[in-house]
Amino acid sequence: MPTSSDPNRQNQRPRWPPAPDSAPIPPSTWAKRTGFRPKFSGETSAADSSGPIIAPPPPPATAAAVTRPREGGSAVDLEAGRNTGQAQQVNGRQQNEIVKKRSDSDGGGGGGGNGNVVEGAGRRAADVLPRAVMNDGGGDGDDAYVGARHSHMKYELRDTPGLVPIWFYGVQHYFSILSSLILIPLVIVPVMGGTNEDTANVVSTALFMSGVTTLLHSFFGTRLPLIQGPSFVYLAPVLAIINSTEMQRLSENKFKHIMRVLQGAIIVGSAFQALLGYSGLMSLVLRLINPVVVAPTIAAVGLSFYSYGFPRVGTCLEIGAVQILLVIIFSLYLRKISVFGHRIFLIYAVPLGLGITWAMAFLLTEAGVYKYDCNPNIPASNLISEHCRKQVTRMQQCRVDTSHALKVANWFRFPYPLQWGMPVFSWKMALIMCVVAIIASVDSVGSYHASSLLVASRAPPPGVVSRGIGLEGLSSVLAGLWGTGTGSTTLSENVHTLAVTKMGSRRAVELGAGVLIVLSLVGKVGGFIASIPQVMVAGLLCFMWAMLSALGLSNLRYSEAGSSRNIIIIGLSLFFSMSVPAYFQQYGVSPNTSLSVPNYFVPYVVASHGPFHFKYGGVNYVLNTLLSFHMVVAFLVAVILDNTVPGSRQERGVYVWSEPEAARREPAVTKDYGLPFRVGRAFKWVKWVGL
């Protein structure tokens, strides 16, 4: 570390108080490295190593200041626990070019904006998302961000790997996120009364539509390497519709009728989302959507299924608990182990945990551990003996041979639109899906911003965000026509996958989408996935929902997480998102009904038994259902408080999107987000949905 006699530093005013040279790390050094900044908005605000870092006021923009490293000269590698200061220094010539390029593209300065930037030019941690550095000046922080943005990515947005790497990374990208694509059909189809063959067909359809919509988004959406597929945002409303009284009373063709009702609701809600995007209204809505709104909304999506996750795992605890434990060990304790330069255990934690647990359950089944004591062909509800009823139910959860989906599935099956029949349209269910489409758009906005920080030259302009939301609406319309049971949106898990695999090339994602389409045509693939035991599905869901909640809260790194304003807003949003639905769910199932509903589905039956009792039954249904969704309550509380309670842009962590005029002058941004095949030239007049 340079001494005070260094001629380059004698005239520079120190930014931080000098740290004493002692063995224990003093608080001042910790404060310097974690971005401690006292007296923020009249209060003390400290962010830990996982939170945002507040950049100090920029020094005068002199050549000496630009080429000189930051005082302290080092940053902490959070994964390795080492000082990596020497590896993160940038020579003066490169830094000057970066500053000049940014200044020219922005038209000379940040305009007093609030920039979301990544600290540390050489951060090597693959599974640590970039931390945000808020900079009021807009100039210095943005310049540092350009030099630091992609240092840990193997391939960026417009990179095209070689023939072998592009196949490997394309398949790897989808394989690491496969559980998010298949779990929703495995949950909803049995509840709808579908057979094993129906489950296999819906899984194949979901894989097919995921590949198609991902290709559409990569070419005509935001063009970011984001996989599209069934989103957990749609799971709660779908379960509410399935468990409504009118659906539970169906006796014949229950699965197909419910699927057609879901198709009609999804088509109408998705059309509303497409209108929201392509009309340019989304550009206005973006002003209301900030990290303080996105974080509790997405976190509430994952937390809302706590009543389903472990109660289902408990039906065969020795299988489900082992699976959860294996996934935790692979993703946390073994995450740093690399094989040929790839963190196998971290990237494939979920598939490895599933495969090992499935093999263990197969051996236990073949060894006779899960042997029936009673006739399994008799429905459990018709068994007189309580012991037999419990034993048969438990064996059906633990054994791996209860599903015959693989046997009944065809070798080749091409998913086609309206395969379940003509959609059935209901205005009350369509209105619910319109609100859900707004929540899905909020989720996608957070994913757009976070992924652009990882792989793109700059954040997309508002018009590109609107274009992406509009295309997601059209993609969900296609999903409704094909009958996947849910809409198709950007999966929140994309951000984690990009950070872990370090693969940001959209060409690899497009190739993976093509492979997924081919696999979806093989009916046995869907049958194999549909044969996963339900207890293992529940174990995977426990991990995926926990990951989704954490990814939602990770958006707070763009805001001042230590601010009392944000702490109160986040706390109120999360608390009321759990408490308000609990008030509605206390009505539960009417005592006079004869319906037999599992305990983990009782929260979704409230749509017919809520506290609202107006003259119009449809209005009651809509209000009771919407206010029983955790994500809706969290969104309403957060968006109202964040946009009415005073706070600076830095404190709120307002998302910084690229200015359209500056983006058009910067070739890198045009190449990142411009439409291919010269399609953009035909739509230059539509300024609000593009560059």
Side-chain angles (χ1 to χ4, degrees), residues 147-165:
R149 183 188 295 264
H150 317 298
S151 59
H152 68 292
M153 300 297 292
K154 292 181 179 178
Y155 295 97
E156 298 176 16
L157 183 60
R158 287 179 278 115
D159 292 342
T160 302
L163 183 61
V164 175

Side-chain angles (χ1 to χ4, degrees), residues 13 117 139 274 295 378 416:
R13 182 179 180 182
V117 299
I378 302 177
Y416 56 92

Side-chain angles (χ1 to χ4, degrees), residues 63 140 144-145 193 234 323 349 407 463 476 546-547 560 609 637-638 647:
D140 237 9
Y145 175 63
Y234 284 90
Q323 181 178 6
K407 295 180 180 179
S476 294
M547 177 70 69
E560 180 58 33
H609 306 278
V637 175

